[in-house]
Amino acid sequence: MIEGLNQEGLKYVDDNGDDQVIPRANIQDGYKYTIEQTERKDHLMMLCIQKYPDLDKMTIELFVDRWMNYKDEMEQEMRNDKEYMKKFKC
């Protein structure tokens, strides 16, 4: 277990010397999707799992959720990555 990590969350000492806790995430606090969005997410998950079978499903889900909710930002990050963009003829 990581030092400072307990049932409540991550314990740490702030700049004032006070004990603080960053609470654990509630797994129920995910994105809220419509039926159509859920179907789209399931489809994207299936495609990604087929293409990257060695990657764990939680990582894939994080990327799919980010893509569905922040597509423009992800595209901009991709375009700003010169090494990645070398793979494509623009």
Side-chain angles (χ1 to χ4, degrees):
M1 186 186 271
I2 298 173
E3 186 177 329
L5 191 60
N6 60 32
Q7 289 295 93
E8 291 80 39
L10 180 64
K11 282 184 78 171
Y12 69 99
V13 178
D14 67 12
D15 294 338
N16 297 326
D18 298 326
D19 287 339
Q20 300 290 331
V21 175
I22 299 172
R24 287 184 176 267
N26 181 350
I27 60 171
Q28 303 301 319
D29 289 346
Y31 292 107
K32 306 295 185 221
Y33 293 122
T34 63
I35 292 172
E36 293 82 12
Q37 289 171 323
T38 301
E39 290 172 355
R40 173 111 172 107
K41 178 181 175 177
D42 291 344
H43 179 73
L44 290 171
M45 288 288 298
M46 181 188 65
L47 292 175
C48 290
I49 290 167
Q50 287 175 348
K51 187 165 184 171
Y52 305 102
D54 296 330
L55 196 58
D56 69 282
K57 291 178 181 158
M58 183 60 78
T59 300
I60 292 172
E61 185 172 16
L62 289 169
F63 280 107
V64 169
D65 279 333
R66 183 138 193 263
W67 175 260
M68 290 182 65
N69 291 283
Y70 304 101
K71 182 179 178 183
D72 293 338
E73 287 178 23
M74 286 188 77
E75 285 180 2
Q76 189 59 44
E77 287 174 14
M78 177 191 70
R79 293 182 193 288
N80 291 341
D81 186 339
K82 303 299 182 204
E83 287 299 312
Y84 179 76
M85 291 305 291
K86 285 180 183 177
K87 300 175 187 174
F88 306 98
K89 294 182 180 185
C90 297

Coordinates of all heavy atoms in Angstrom, one line a residue:
M1 N 0.8 -1.2 0.0 CA 0.0 0.0 0.0 C 0.9 1.2 0.0 O 1.9 1.3 0.6 CB -0.9 0.0 1.2 CG -1.9 1.1 1.2 SD -2.9 1.3 2.7 CE -4.3 0.2 2.2
I2 N 0.5 2.3 -0.7 CA 1.2 3.5 -0.7 C 1.2 4.2 0.6 O 0.2 4.2 1.3 CB 0.6 4.4 -1.8 CG1 0.7 3.8 -3.2 CG2 1.3 5.8 -1.8 CD1 -0.1 4.6 -4.2
E3 N 2.3 4.8 1.0 CA 2.4 5.4 2.3 C 1.4 6.6 2.3 O 1.3 7.4 1.4 CB 3.8 6.0 2.5 CG 4.0 6.6 3.9 CD 5.4 7.1 4.1 OE1 6.4 6.5 3.5 OE2 5.6 8.1 4.8
G4 N 0.6 6.7 3.4 CA -0.4 7.7 3.6 C -1.7 7.3 3.0 O -2.7 8.0 3.2
L5 N -1.8 6.3 2.3 CA -3.1 5.8 1.7 C -3.8 4.9 2.6 O -3.3 4.0 3.2 CB -2.8 5.1 0.3 CG -4.0 4.8 -0.5 CD1 -4.7 6.1 -0.9 CD2 -3.6 4.1 -1.8
N6 N -5.1 5.3 2.9 CA -5.9 4.5 3.8 C -7.3 4.4 3.3 O -7.6 4.8 2.2 CB -5.8 5.0 5.3 CG -6.3 6.5 5.3 OD1 -7.2 6.8 4.6 ND2 -5.8 7.2 6.3
Q7 N -8.2 3.8 4.1 CA -9.6 3.6 3.7 C -10.3 4.9 3.3 O -11.1 5.0 2.4 CB -10.4 2.9 4.8 CG -10.0 1.5 5.0 CD -10.4 0.6 3.8 OE1 -9.5 0.4 3.0 NE2 -11.6 0.2 3.8
E8 N -9.9 6.0 4.0 CA -10.6 7.3 3.7 C -10.0 8.0 2.5 O -10.7 8.8 1.9 CB -10.5 8.2 4.9 CG -11.2 7.8 6.2 CD -10.5 6.7 6.9 OE1 -9.3 6.8 7.0 OE2 -11.2 5.8 7.4
G9 N -8.8 7.8 2.2 CA -8.1 8.4 1.1 C -6.6 8.6 1.3 O -6.0 7.8 2.0
L10 N -6.0 9.6 0.8 CA -4.6 9.9 0.9 C -4.4 10.9 2.0 O -4.8 12.1 1.9 CB -4.1 10.4 -0.4 CG -2.6 10.7 -0.5 CD1 -1.8 9.4 -0.2 CD2 -2.2 11.3 -1.8
K11 N -3.7 10.5 3.0 CA -3.3 11.4 4.1 C -2.0 12.2 3.8 O -1.1 11.6 3.3 CB -3.2 10.7 5.4 CG -4.4 10.3 6.1 CD -4.2 9.7 7.4 CE -3.9 10.7 8.5 NZ -3.8 10.2 9.8
Y12 N -2.0 13.5 4.1 CA -0.8 14.2 3.9 C -0.7 15.4 4.9 O -1.8 15.7 5.5 CB -0.7 14.8 2.5 CG -1.7 15.8 2.1 CD1 -1.3 17.2 2.2 CD2 -3.0 15.5 1.8 CE1 -2.2 18.2 1.9 CE2 -3.9 16.5 1.5 CZ -3.5 17.8 1.5 OH -4.4 18.8 1.2
V13 N 0.4 16.0 5.0 CA 0.5 17.1 5.9 C 0.7 18.4 5.0 O 1.6 18.4 4.2 CB 1.8 17.0 6.9 CG1 2.0 18.2 7.7 CG2 1.7 15.7 7.7
D14 N -0.2 19.4 5.3 CA -0.1 20.6 4.4 C 1.0 21.5 4.9 O 1.7 21.2 5.8 CB -1.5 21.3 4.4 CG -1.9 21.9 5.7 OD1 -1.1 21.9 6.7 OD2 -3.1 22.2 5.8
D15 N 1.1 22.6 4.2 CA 2.2 23.6 4.5 C 2.1 24.2 6.0 O 3.1 24.6 6.5 CB 2.1 24.8 3.5 CG 2.5 24.3 2.1 OD1 3.1 23.3 2.0 OD2 2.1 25.0 1.2
N16 N 0.9 24.1 6.6 CA 0.8 24.6 8.0 C 1.0 23.5 9.0 O 0.9 23.8 10.2 CB -0.6 25.2 8.2 CG -0.9 26.4 7.3 OD1 0.0 27.2 7.0 ND2 -2.1 26.5 6.8
G17 N 1.4 22.3 8.5 CA 1.6 21.2 9.5 C 0.3 20.5 9.9 O 0.4 19.6 10.7
D18 N -0.8 20.8 9.3 CA -2.1 20.2 9.6 C -2.2 18.9 8.8 O -1.9 18.9 7.6 CB -3.3 21.1 9.3 CG -3.2 22.4 10.2 OD1 -2.8 22.3 11.3 OD2 -3.6 23.4 9.7
D19 N -2.8 17.9 9.4 CA -3.1 16.6 8.7 C -4.3 16.9 7.8 O -5.3 17.5 8.2 CB -3.4 15.5 9.6 CG -2.2 15.0 10.3 OD1 -1.1 15.2 9.8 OD2 -2.3 14.3 11.4
Q20 N -4.2 16.5 6.5 CA -5.3 16.6 5.6 C -5.5 15.2 4.9 O -4.6 14.4 4.9 CB -4.9 17.6 4.5 CG -4.7 19.0 5.0 CD -5.9 19.7 5.5 OE1 -7.0 19.4 5.1 NE2 -5.8 20.6 6.5
V21 N -6.7 15.1 4.3 CA -7.0 13.8 3.6 C -7.7 14.2 2.3 O -8.6 15.0 2.2 CB -8.0 12.9 4.4 CG1 -8.4 11.7 3.6 CG2 -7.4 12.5 5.7
I22 N -7.1 13.6 1.2 CA -7.8 13.7 -0.1 C -8.7 12.5 -0.2 O -8.1 11.4 -0.2 CB -6.7 13.7 -1.3 CG1 -5.8 14.9 -1.2 CG2 -7.5 13.7 -2.6 CD1 -4.7 14.9 -2.1
P23 N -10.0 12.7 -0.2 CA -10.9 11.5 -0.2 C -10.7 10.6 -1.4 O -10.4 11.1 -2.5 CB -12.3 12.1 -0.1 CG -12.1 13.5 -0.5 CD -10.7 13.9 -0.3
R24 N -11.0 9.3 -1.2 CA -11.0 8.4 -2.3 C -12.1 8.8 -3.3 O -13.2 9.3 -2.9 CB -11.2 7.0 -1.8 CG -10.0 6.4 -1.1 CD -10.3 4.9 -0.8 NE -9.2 4.3 -0.2 CZ -8.2 3.6 -0.9 NH1 -8.4 3.5 -2.1 NH2 -7.2 3.1 -0.3
A25 N -11.9 8.4 -4.6 CA -12.9 8.7 -5.6 C -14.1 7.8 -5.4 O -13.9 6.6 -5.0 CB -12.4 8.5 -7.0
N26 N -15.3 8.2 -5.6 CA -16.5 7.4 -5.6 C -16.7 6.9 -7.0 O -16.9 7.7 -7.9 CB -17.7 8.2 -5.1 CG -19.0 7.4 -5.1 OD1 -19.0 6.3 -5.5 ND2 -20.0 8.0 -4.5
I27 N -16.6 5.6 -7.2 CA -16.7 5.0 -8.5 C -18.0 5.3 -9.2 O -18.2 5.1 -10.4 CB -16.3 3.5 -8.6 CG1 -17.3 2.7 -7.7 CG2 -14.9 3.3 -8.2 CD1 -17.1 1.2 -7.9
Q28 N -19.0 5.7 -8.4 CA -20.3 6.0 -8.9 C -20.4 7.5 -9.5 O -21.4 7.9 -10.1 CB -21.4 5.9 -7.8 CG -21.4 4.6 -7.2 CD -21.7 3.4 -8.2 OE1 -22.5 3.6 -9.0 NE2 -21.0 2.3 -8.0
D29 N -19.3 8.2 -9.4 CA -19.2 9.6 -9.8 C -18.8 9.7 -11.3 O -18.2 10.8 -11.6 CB -18.3 10.4 -8.9 CG -18.9 10.6 -7.5 OD1 -20.1 10.4 -7.4 OD2 -18.1 11.1 -6.7
G30 N -19.0 8.8 -12.1 CA -18.5 8.8 -13.5 C -19.3 9.8 -14.3 O -20.2 10.5 -13.8
Y31 N -19.0 9.8 -15.6 CA -19.8 10.6 -16.5 C -21.2 10.1 -16.7 O -21.4 8.8 -16.7 CB -19.1 10.6 -17.9 CG -17.7 11.4 -17.9 CD1 -16.5 10.6 -18.0 CD2 -17.7 12.7 -17.8 CE1 -15.3 11.3 -18.0 CE2 -16.5 13.4 -17.8 CZ -15.3 12.7 -17.9 OH -14.1 13.3 -17.9
K32 N -22.1 10.9 -16.9 CA -23.5 10.5 -17.1 C -23.7 10.6 -18.6 O -23.6 11.6 -19.3 CB -24.5 11.5 -16.4 CG -24.2 11.6 -14.9 CD -24.4 10.3 -14.2 CE -24.2 10.6 -12.7 NZ -23.5 9.6 -12.0
Y33 N -24.1 9.4 -19.2 CA -24.3 9.3 -20.7 C -25.7 9.0 -21.0 O -26.4 8.3 -20.2 CB -23.4 8.3 -21.3 CG -21.9 8.6 -21.2 CD1 -21.0 7.7 -20.6 CD2 -21.4 9.7 -21.8 CE1 -19.7 8.0 -20.6 CE2 -20.1 10.0 -21.8 CZ -19.2 9.1 -21.2 OH -17.8 9.4 -21.2
T34 N -26.2 9.5 -22.1 CA -27.5 9.1 -22.6 C -27.4 7.6 -23.1 O -26.3 7.1 -23.2 CB -28.0 10.0 -23.8 OG1 -27.0 9.8 -24.9 CG2 -28.0 11.4 -23.4
I35 N -28.5 7.1 -23.5 CA -28.5 5.7 -24.1 C -27.6 5.6 -25.3 O -26.8 4.7 -25.5 CB -29.9 5.2 -24.3 CG1 -30.7 5.0 -23.0 CG2 -29.9 3.9 -25.1 CD1 -32.2 4.7 -23.2
E36 N -27.8 6.6 -26.2 CA -27.0 6.7 -27.4 C -25.5 6.8 -27.1 O -24.7 6.2 -27.8 CB -27.5 7.8 -28.3 CG -28.9 7.6 -28.9 CD -30.0 8.0 -27.9 OE1 -29.7 8.7 -26.9 OE2 -31.1 7.7 -28.2
Q37 N -25.2 7.7 -26.2 CA -23.8 7.9 -25.8 C -23.2 6.6 -25.2 O -22.0 6.3 -25.5 CB -23.6 9.0 -24.9 CG -23.9 10.4 -25.5 CD -23.9 11.5 -24.5 OE1 -24.5 11.3 -23.4 NE2 -23.4 12.7 -24.8
T38 N -24.0 5.9 -24.4 CA -23.5 4.7 -23.8 C -23.2 3.6 -24.9 O -22.2 2.9 -24.8 CB -24.5 4.1 -22.8 OG1 -24.7 5.1 -21.8 CG2 -24.1 2.8 -22.1
E39 N -24.1 3.6 -25.9 CA -23.9 2.6 -27.0 C -22.6 3.0 -27.7 O -21.9 2.1 -28.1 CB -25.1 2.6 -27.9 CG -26.3 2.0 -27.3 CD -27.6 2.1 -28.1 OE1 -27.6 2.8 -29.2 OE2 -28.6 1.6 -27.7
R40 N -22.4 4.3 -28.0 CA -21.2 4.7 -28.7 C -20.0 4.4 -27.8 O -19.0 3.9 -28.4 CB -21.3 6.2 -28.9 CG -20.0 6.8 -29.4 CD -20.2 7.3 -30.8 NE -19.0 8.1 -31.3 CZ -18.2 7.6 -32.2 NH1 -18.4 6.4 -32.7 NH2 -17.2 8.3 -32.6
K41 N -20.0 4.6 -26.5 CA -18.9 4.3 -25.7 C -18.6 2.8 -25.7 O -17.5 2.4 -25.8 CB -19.2 4.7 -24.2 CG -18.0 4.4 -23.3 CD -18.3 4.8 -21.9 CE -17.2 4.3 -21.0 NZ -17.3 4.7 -19.6
D42 N -19.7 2.0 -25.6 CA -19.5 0.5 -25.6 C -18.8 0.1 -27.0 O -18.0 -0.8 -27.0 CB -20.8 -0.2 -25.4 CG -21.4 0.0 -24.0 OD1 -20.6 0.4 -23.1 OD2 -22.6 -0.3 -23.9
H43 N -19.3 0.7 -28.0 CA -18.7 0.4 -29.4 C -17.2 0.7 -29.4 O -16.4 0.0 -29.9 CB -19.5 1.1 -30.5 CG -19.0 0.8 -31.8 ND1 -19.1 -0.4 -32.5 CD2 -18.3 1.6 -32.7 CE1 -18.6 -0.3 -33.7 NE2 -18.0 0.9 -33.8
L44 N -16.9 2.0 -29.0 CA -15.5 2.4 -29.0 C -14.6 1.5 -28.0 O -13.5 1.2 -28.4 CB -15.4 3.9 -28.5 CG -15.9 4.9 -29.5 CD1 -16.0 6.3 -28.8 CD2 -15.1 4.9 -30.7
M45 N -15.2 1.1 -26.9 CA -14.5 0.3 -26.0 C -14.2 -1.1 -26.7 O -13.0 -1.6 -26.6 CB -15.3 0.0 -24.7 CG -15.4 1.2 -23.8 SD -13.9 1.5 -22.9 CE -13.6 0.0 -22.0
M46 N -15.2 -1.6 -27.3 CA -15.0 -2.9 -28.0 C -13.9 -2.8 -29.1 O -13.0 -3.7 -29.2 CB -16.3 -3.4 -28.6 CG -16.2 -4.7 -29.3 SD -17.6 -5.1 -30.3 CE -17.6 -3.9 -31.5
L47 N -13.9 -1.8 -29.9 CA -12.9 -1.6 -30.9 C -11.5 -1.4 -30.3 O -10.6 -2.0 -30.8 CB -13.3 -0.4 -31.8 CG -14.5 -0.5 -32.7 CD1 -14.8 0.9 -33.4 CD2 -14.4 -1.6 -33.7
C48 N -11.4 -0.6 -29.3 CA -10.1 -0.4 -28.7 C -9.6 -1.7 -28.0 O -8.4 -2.0 -28.1 CB -10.2 0.7 -27.6 SG -10.4 2.3 -28.4
I49 N -10.4 -2.4 -27.4 CA -10.0 -3.7 -26.7 C -9.5 -4.7 -27.8 O -8.5 -5.4 -27.6 CB -11.1 -4.2 -25.8 CG1 -11.3 -3.4 -24.6 CG2 -10.9 -5.7 -25.4 CD1 -12.6 -3.6 -23.8
Q50 N -10.2 -4.7 -28.9 CA -9.8 -5.6 -30.0 C -8.5 -5.2 -30.5 O -7.6 -6.0 -30.8 CB -10.8 -5.7 -31.1 CG -12.1 -6.4 -30.7 CD -13.2 -6.3 -31.8 OE1 -13.1 -5.5 -32.7 NE2 -14.2 -7.2 -31.6
K51 N -8.3 -3.9 -30.7 CA -7.0 -3.4 -31.3 C -5.8 -3.5 -30.3 O -4.7 -3.7 -30.7 CB -7.2 -2.0 -31.8 CG -6.1 -1.5 -32.6 CD -6.4 -0.2 -33.4 CE -5.2 0.2 -34.2 NZ -5.5 1.2 -35.1
Y52 N -6.1 -3.3 -29.0 CA -5.1 -3.2 -28.0 C -5.4 -4.2 -26.9 O -5.6 -3.8 -25.8 CB -4.9 -1.8 -27.5 CG -4.7 -0.8 -28.5 CD1 -5.7 0.1 -29.0 CD2 -3.4 -0.6 -29.1 CE1 -5.4 1.0 -29.9 CE2 -3.2 0.3 -30.1 CZ -4.2 1.1 -30.5 OH -4.0 2.1 -31.5
P53 N -5.3 -5.5 -27.2 CA -5.8 -6.5 -26.2 C -4.8 -6.6 -25.0 O -5.3 -7.0 -23.9 CB -5.7 -7.8 -27.0 CG -4.8 -7.6 -28.1 CD -4.9 -6.1 -28.4
D54 N -3.6 -6.1 -25.1 CA -2.7 -6.2 -23.9 C -2.8 -4.9 -23.0 O -2.2 -4.9 -21.9 CB -1.3 -6.3 -24.4 CG -1.0 -7.6 -25.1 OD1 -1.7 -8.6 -24.8 OD2 -0.1 -7.6 -26.0
L55 N -3.6 -4.0 -23.4 CA -3.8 -2.8 -22.6 C -5.0 -3.0 -21.6 O -6.0 -3.6 -22.0 CB -4.1 -1.6 -23.5 CG -4.0 -0.2 -22.9 CD1 -2.6 0.1 -22.3 CD2 -4.4 0.9 -23.9
D56 N -4.9 -2.7 -20.4 CA -5.9 -3.0 -19.4 C -7.2 -2.1 -19.7 O -7.1 -1.0 -20.3 CB -5.5 -2.8 -18.0 CG -5.3 -1.3 -17.6 OD1 -4.2 -0.8 -18.0 OD2 -6.1 -0.7 -17.0
K57 N -8.3 -2.7 -19.4 CA -9.6 -2.1 -19.8 C -9.9 -0.7 -19.1 O -10.5 0.1 -19.7 CB -10.8 -3.0 -19.5 CG -10.7 -4.2 -20.4 CD -11.8 -5.2 -20.1 CE -11.7 -6.4 -21.1 NZ -12.3 -7.6 -20.6
M58 N -9.3 -0.6 -17.9 CA -9.5 0.7 -17.2 C -8.8 1.8 -17.9 O -9.3 2.9 -18.1 CB -9.0 0.6 -15.8 CG -9.2 1.8 -14.9 SD -11.0 2.3 -14.8 CE -11.5 1.1 -13.5
T59 N -7.6 1.6 -18.4 CA -6.9 2.6 -19.2 C -7.6 2.9 -20.5 O -7.8 4.1 -20.8 CB -5.5 2.1 -19.5 OG1 -4.8 1.8 -18.3 CG2 -4.7 3.1 -20.3
I60 N -8.1 1.9 -21.1 CA -8.9 2.2 -22.4 C -10.1 3.0 -22.0 O -10.4 4.0 -22.8 CB -9.3 0.8 -23.1 CG1 -8.0 0.2 -23.6 CG2 -10.3 1.1 -24.2 CD1 -8.2 -1.2 -24.1
E61 N -10.8 2.7 -21.0 CA -12.0 3.4 -20.6 C -11.7 4.9 -20.3 O -12.4 5.8 -20.6 CB -12.7 2.8 -19.4 CG -14.0 3.4 -19.1 CD -14.8 2.7 -18.0 OE1 -14.3 1.8 -17.3 OE2 -16.0 3.0 -17.9
L62 N -10.6 5.1 -19.6 CA -10.2 6.5 -19.4 C -10.0 7.3 -20.6 O -10.4 8.4 -20.8 CB -8.9 6.5 -18.5 CG -9.0 6.1 -17.1 CD1 -7.6 5.9 -16.5 CD2 -9.8 7.1 -16.3
F63 N -9.3 6.7 -21.6 CA -9.1 7.4 -22.9 C -10.4 7.6 -23.7 O -10.7 8.6 -24.3 CB -8.1 6.6 -23.8 CG -6.7 6.9 -23.4 CD1 -5.9 5.9 -22.7 CD2 -6.1 8.1 -23.6 CE1 -4.6 6.2 -22.3 CE2 -4.8 8.4 -23.3 CZ -4.1 7.4 -22.6
V64 N -11.3 6.6 -23.6 CA -12.6 6.7 -24.3 C -13.4 7.8 -23.7 O -14.0 8.6 -24.4 CB -13.3 5.3 -24.4 CG1 -14.8 5.5 -24.8 CG2 -12.6 4.3 -25.3
D65 N -13.5 7.8 -22.4 CA -14.3 8.8 -21.7 C -13.7 10.2 -22.0 O -14.4 11.1 -22.3 CB -14.2 8.6 -20.2 CG -15.2 7.6 -19.7 OD1 -16.3 7.4 -20.4 OD2 -15.0 7.0 -18.6
R66 N -12.4 10.3 -22.0 CA -11.8 11.6 -22.3 C -12.1 12.0 -23.7 O -12.4 13.2 -24.0 CB -10.3 11.6 -22.1 CG -9.6 12.9 -22.3 CD -8.6 13.3 -21.3 NE -8.2 14.7 -21.4 CZ -7.2 15.1 -22.1 NH1 -6.4 14.3 -22.7 NH2 -7.0 16.4 -22.2
W67 N -12.0 11.1 -24.6 CA -12.3 11.4 -26.1 C -13.7 11.8 -26.2 O -14.0 12.8 -26.9 CB -12.0 10.1 -26.9 CG -12.5 10.3 -28.3 CD1 -13.6 9.9 -28.9 CD2 -11.7 11.0 -29.3 NE1 -13.6 10.3 -30.2 CE2 -12.5 11.0 -30.5 CE3 -10.5 11.7 -29.4 CZ2 -12.1 11.6 -31.7 CZ3 -10.1 12.3 -30.5 CH2 -10.9 12.2 -31.7
M68 N -14.7 11.2 -25.5 CA -16.1 11.5 -25.7 C -16.4 12.9 -25.1 O -17.3 13.5 -25.5 CB -16.9 10.4 -25.0 CG -16.9 9.1 -25.8 SD -18.0 7.8 -25.2 CE -19.6 8.6 -25.4
N69 N -15.7 13.2 -24.0 CA -16.0 14.5 -23.3 C -15.1 15.7 -23.7 O -15.5 16.8 -23.4 CB -16.0 14.2 -21.8 CG -17.1 13.3 -21.4 OD1 -18.2 13.8 -21.3 ND2 -16.8 12.1 -21.2
Y70 N -13.9 15.4 -24.2 CA -12.9 16.4 -24.5 C -12.3 16.2 -25.8 O -11.0 16.3 -26.0 CB -11.9 16.5 -23.4 CG -12.5 16.8 -22.0 CD1 -12.6 15.7 -21.1 CD2 -12.9 18.0 -21.6 CE1 -13.2 15.9 -19.9 CE2 -13.5 18.2 -20.4 CZ -13.6 17.1 -19.5 OH -14.2 17.3 -18.3
K71 N -13.0 15.8 -26.8 CA -12.5 15.5 -28.1 C -11.6 16.6 -28.8 O -10.5 16.3 -29.2 CB -13.7 15.1 -29.1 CG -13.2 14.7 -30.5 CD -14.4 14.3 -31.3 CE -13.9 14.0 -32.7 NZ -15.0 13.7 -33.6
D72 N -12.1 17.8 -28.7 CA -11.4 18.9 -29.3 C -10.0 19.1 -28.6 O -9.0 19.3 -29.3 CB -12.2 20.2 -29.2 CG -13.4 20.2 -30.1 OD1 -13.4 19.4 -31.1 OD2 -14.3 21.0 -29.8
E73 N -10.0 19.0 -27.3 CA -8.7 19.2 -26.6 C -7.7 18.0 -26.9 O -6.5 18.3 -27.1 CB -8.9 19.1 -25.1 CG -9.6 20.4 -24.6 CD -9.9 20.3 -23.1 OE1 -9.2 19.5 -22.4 OE2 -10.7 21.1 -22.6
M74 N -8.3 16.8 -27.1 CA -7.4 15.7 -27.4 C -6.8 15.8 -28.8 O -5.7 15.5 -29.1 CB -8.1 14.4 -27.2 CG -8.3 14.0 -25.8 SD -9.0 12.3 -25.6 CE -7.6 11.3 -25.9
E75 N -7.7 16.3 -29.7 CA -7.2 16.5 -31.1 C -6.1 17.6 -31.1 O -5.1 17.4 -31.8 CB -8.4 16.9 -32.0 CG -9.2 15.7 -32.4 CD -10.4 16.1 -33.3 OE1 -10.5 17.2 -33.7 OE2 -11.2 15.2 -33.6
Q76 N -6.3 18.6 -30.4 CA -5.3 19.7 -30.3 C -4.0 19.2 -29.7 O -2.9 19.5 -30.2 CB -5.8 20.9 -29.5 CG -5.0 22.1 -29.6 CD -4.8 22.6 -31.1 OE1 -5.8 22.7 -31.8 NE2 -3.6 22.9 -31.5
E77 N -4.1 18.4 -28.7 CA -2.9 17.8 -28.1 C -2.1 17.0 -29.1 O -0.9 17.0 -29.2 CB -3.2 17.0 -26.8 CG -3.6 17.8 -25.6 CD -4.1 16.9 -24.5 OE1 -3.9 15.7 -24.5 OE2 -4.7 17.5 -23.6
M78 N -2.9 16.2 -29.8 CA -2.3 15.3 -30.9 C -1.6 16.2 -31.9 O -0.5 15.9 -32.3 CB -3.4 14.5 -31.5 CG -2.9 13.6 -32.6 SD -4.2 12.8 -33.6 CE -4.9 14.2 -34.4
R79 N -2.3 17.2 -32.4 CA -1.7 18.1 -33.4 C -0.4 18.8 -32.9 O 0.5 19.1 -33.7 CB -2.7 19.1 -33.9 CG -3.8 18.4 -34.7 CD -4.8 19.4 -35.2 NE -6.0 18.7 -35.7 CZ -6.2 18.0 -36.8 NH1 -5.1 17.8 -37.5 NH2 -7.3 17.4 -37.1
N80 N -0.4 19.1 -31.6 CA 0.8 19.8 -31.0 C 1.9 18.9 -30.8 O 3.1 19.3 -30.5 CB 0.4 20.5 -29.7 CG -0.5 21.7 -29.9 OD1 -0.6 22.2 -31.0 ND2 -1.2 22.1 -28.9
D81 N 1.7 17.6 -30.9 CA 2.8 16.6 -30.6 C 3.5 16.3 -31.9 O 3.1 15.6 -32.8 CB 2.2 15.3 -30.1 CG 3.2 14.3 -29.7 OD1 4.3 14.3 -30.2 OD2 2.8 13.4 -28.9
K82 N 4.6 17.0 -32.1 CA 5.4 16.9 -33.4 C 5.9 15.5 -33.7 O 5.9 15.1 -34.8 CB 6.6 17.9 -33.3 CG 6.2 19.3 -33.0 CD 5.3 19.9 -34.1 CE 5.0 21.4 -33.8 NZ 3.8 21.8 -34.4
E83 N 6.3 14.8 -32.7 CA 6.8 13.4 -32.9 C 5.6 12.5 -33.4 O 5.8 11.7 -34.3 CB 7.3 12.8 -31.6 CG 8.7 13.4 -31.2 CD 9.8 13.1 -32.3 OE1 9.9 11.9 -32.7 OE2 10.5 14.1 -32.6
Y84 N 4.5 12.7 -32.8 CA 3.3 11.9 -33.2 C 2.9 12.2 -34.7 O 2.6 11.4 -35.5 CB 2.1 12.1 -32.3 CG 0.9 11.3 -32.7 CD1 0.8 10.0 -32.4 CD2 -0.2 12.0 -33.2 CE1 -0.3 9.3 -32.8 CE2 -1.3 11.3 -33.6 CZ -1.4 9.9 -33.4 OH -2.5 9.2 -33.8
M85 N 2.9 13.5 -35.0 CA 2.4 14.0 -36.2 C 3.4 13.6 -37.4 O 3.0 13.7 -38.5 CB 2.2 15.5 -36.2 CG 1.0 15.9 -35.3 SD -0.6 15.0 -35.8 CE -0.9 15.8 -37.4
K86 N 4.7 13.3 -37.1 CA 5.6 12.9 -38.1 C 5.1 11.6 -38.8 O 5.5 11.3 -39.9 CB 7.0 12.6 -37.5 CG 7.7 13.8 -37.1 CD 9.1 13.5 -36.5 CE 9.8 14.7 -36.1 NZ 11.1 14.3 -35.4
K87 N 4.2 10.9 -38.2 CA 3.7 9.6 -38.8 C 2.7 9.9 -39.9 O 2.4 9.0 -40.7 CB 3.0 8.8 -37.7 CG 3.9 8.4 -36.5 CD 3.0 7.7 -35.5 CE 3.8 7.4 -34.2 NZ 3.0 6.9 -33.2
F88 N 2.3 11.1 -40.0 CA 1.2 11.5 -41.0 C 1.7 12.5 -42.0 O 2.5 13.4 -41.6 CB 0.0 12.0 -40.3 CG -0.5 11.1 -39.2 CD1 -0.2 11.3 -37.9 CD2 -1.3 10.0 -39.5 CE1 -0.7 10.5 -36.9 CE2 -1.8 9.2 -38.6 CZ -1.5 9.4 -37.2
K89 N 1.3 12.4 -43.2 CA 1.6 13.4 -44.2 C 0.5 14.5 -44.2 O -0.7 14.2 -44.3 CB 1.6 12.8 -45.6 CG 2.8 11.8 -45.8 CD 2.8 11.3 -47.2 CE 4.0 10.3 -47.3 NZ 4.2 9.8 -48.6
C90 N 0.9 15.7 -43.9 CA -0.1 16.8 -43.8 C 0.0 17.7 -45.0 O 0.9 17.9 -45.6 CB 0.1 17.6 -42.5 SG -0.1 16.6 -41.0

